Amino acid sequence: MNKPKPEILVIHESVWHSFVRDATTFLMAVSIIGVGVLLASTAMQWVGAIVFFLAVAGTAAAHKNRMTIEEARKRIDELEATL
């Protein structure tokens, strides 16, 4: 018997929560690159850039799964029907 893949549905996320999440991601990358600049470490600057690009890619991938409340209700109904 195949076990269904767990799904996470975010029902509410305000603009403020989205802004804070994006700002912390940006600040994390800038801080890694900044420490690399202060230490004159090219490797750390590259790591900061790579982390930033991965974070941007992850954010973009997460946005494709966004749903409206109606779409989320429909998806929940579909999941309950399979149980």
Side-chain angles (χ1 to χ4, degrees), residues 16-77:
W16 175 250
H17 288 115
S18 177
F19 174 75
V20 169
R21 186 184 64 224
D22 293 342
T24 55
T25 301
F26 178 75
L27 289 174
M28 176 194 61
V30 168
S31 65
I32 293 172
I33 294 171
V35 170
V37 169
L38 288 175
L39 296 176
S41 172
T42 306
M44 186 171 264
Q45 293 173 38
W46 275 103
V47 168
I50 291 168
V51 166
F52 179 70
F53 290 132
L54 289 174
V56 168
T59 301
H63 282 280
K64 74 175 186 172
N65 295 329
R66 302 263 175 166
M67 299 180 193
T68 63
I69 292 175
E70 293 78 23
E71 292 170 337
R73 283 188 183 125
K74 182 180 176 187
R75 183 65 186 138
I76 290 170
D77 291 341

